[in-house]
Amino acid sequence: MADVFKESTVLKESTVLKDSYLVGLIGSGIGPSLSPALHEREADRQGLRYVYRLIDIDVLGVAPEAVGDLLRAARDLGFDGLNITHPCKQLVIGHLDGLAPQAEALGAVNTVVFEADGSAIGHNTDVTGFAASFARGLPDAPMERVVQLGAGGAGAAVAHATLTLGAGRVTVVDALPERAAALADSLNRHFGAGRAAGATPDLLPGLLAGADGVVHATPTGMAAHPGLPFPASLLHSGLWVAEVVYRPLETQLLRTARALGCPTLDGGGMAVFQAADAFRLFTGREPDSARMLADIAELAGAVVVPK
């Protein structure tokens, strides 16, 4: 399990510490994001001048394919780095000068660091973020058979983290069969044959009946996409349930699962730990994740309860 944390916790010897930073987030519909507040609060506590800007492609009226132009503009304007979210995590790769090993393995980038020589290097802190959150919140959860909903950029990171944490087999369920199959093939190449499989939503009843846990990695449950990702009747007390959505912290899925006695993990921990890892990459300084967990509990209007 230690390997999944290694990439983001080892600082480069060449990191140059300074006291002023300009960073941002590129994505669609990112107005509600808590990333600016998480980063800026931690920076304030460390005595840094730190500005975090939202670069919303919807507000700008540009297509996701414009991410390359936005990346170049940010570099020209003196940004130190960028976070990247849906739908640009894969599209940004073609505009980078290099990839950290985890980002290369995933084919998805959520953090770009502008190096001193001007090069743009892609990282993925979603992997380490979910791994750290899961290890903290569900440390003793059985993981022989895991079902995951969602095969997008976040889904790829979460599936990698789940297998790295010791899952025996992950079945990825997606409404787009080709996307689930592609992610499963990638996981099998990385972790070994038979560690992953793709499936369609109509197979969920049988899959969840025999699973140890389910990871939810789709937008369902967010304020703009309320509801359950699958019928509540498919939940049972023998399942643990891990959520990626963090606004709200208590999604309808988690609320329903808790009522049935399922061990649960909200998306707040992943949001905090991926932000902490990005902060470390941007600044070369060690963030205080405990303080950031308290921040997200306050910012999201709910309490993150230690498991």
Side-chain angles (χ1 to χ4, degrees):
M1 184 174 75
D3 289 348
V4 79
F5 303 104
K6 184 176 180 181
E7 181 173 311
S8 68
T9 55
V10 177
L11 296 178
K12 297 174 295 183
E13 291 183 3
S14 59
T15 299
V16 177
L17 298 182
K18 54 181 187 174
D19 61 7
S20 179
Y21 296 88
L22 174 61
V23 301
L25 171 65
I26 295 177
S28 171
I30 55 177
S33 174
L34 295 182
S35 289
L38 285 173
H39 280 252
E40 290 178 350
R41 282 187 175 201
E42 180 59 20
D44 285 346
R45 288 188 291 255
Q46 297 206 21
L48 303 176
R49 294 191 297 275
Y50 196 103
V51 176
Y52 192 112
R53 298 299 191 197
L54 295 180
I55 306 169
D56 194 320
I57 61 173
D58 296 344
V59 174
L60 294 173
V62 299
E65 288 75 15
V67 65
D69 293 332
L70 296 174
L71 184 81
R72 285 187 289 274
R75 177 161 45 188
D76 291 345
L77 288 169
F79 276 65
D80 295 287
L82 295 166
N83 284 135
I84 310 292
T85 192
H86 174 80
C88 301
K89 291 183 179 183
Q90 288 88 19
L91 292 170
V92 74
I93 290 176
H95 304 282
L96 300 176
D97 300 301
L99 293 173
Q102 283 181 348
E104 185 173 13
L106 281 166
V109 163
N110 81 325
T111 303
V112 175
V113 177
F114 296 125
E115 303 286 357
D117 62 2
S119 60
I121 306 300
H123 301 259
N124 195 299
T125 68
D126 285 333
V127 180
T128 52
F130 183 80
S133 178
F134 195 96
R136 171 184 172 272
L138 292 172
D140 301 315
M143 299 183 70
E144 185 57 34
R145 294 162 298 176
V146 177
V147 175
Q148 177 178 304
L149 274 71
V158 168
H160 270 253
T162 302
L163 284 168
T164 304
L165 286 166
R169 180 180 173 88
V170 173
T171 301
V172 181
V173 177
D174 198 276
L176 299 175
E178 64 278 9
R179 188 161 72 165
L183 177 54
D185 288 345
S186 173
L187 292 167
N188 284 325
R189 287 194 299 271
H190 191 76
F191 292 97
R195 298 292 301 280
T200 50
D202 60 294
L203 298 177
L204 271 175
L207 290 170
L208 292 178
D212 295 310
V214 58
V215 180
H216 176 235
T218 84
T220 302
M222 296 174 64
H225 305 277
L228 288 167
F230 54 81
S233 60
L234 300 185
L235 288 168
H236 57 86
S237 60
L239 276 176
W240 52 260
V241 179
E243 178 69 90
V244 171
V245 172
Y246 72 89
R247 293 202 78 179
L249 280 176
E250 185 179 72
T251 60
Q252 188 174 343
L253 174 62
L254 291 184
R255 188 162 55 250
T256 305
R258 286 170 182 157
L260 292 172
C262 301
T264 62
L265 178 71
D266 63 50
M270 178 179 177
V272 163
F273 289 114
Q274 68 82 16
D277 288 344
F279 183 93
R280 185 183 297 108
L281 287 166
F282 292 149
T283 69
R285 290 175 167 84
E286 189 62 31
D288 188 324
S289 57
R291 294 187 304 204
M292 296 175 75
L293 284 165
D295 287 337
I296 203 166
E298 178 187 342
L299 292 164
V303 176
V304 179
V305 180
K307 304 299 190 294

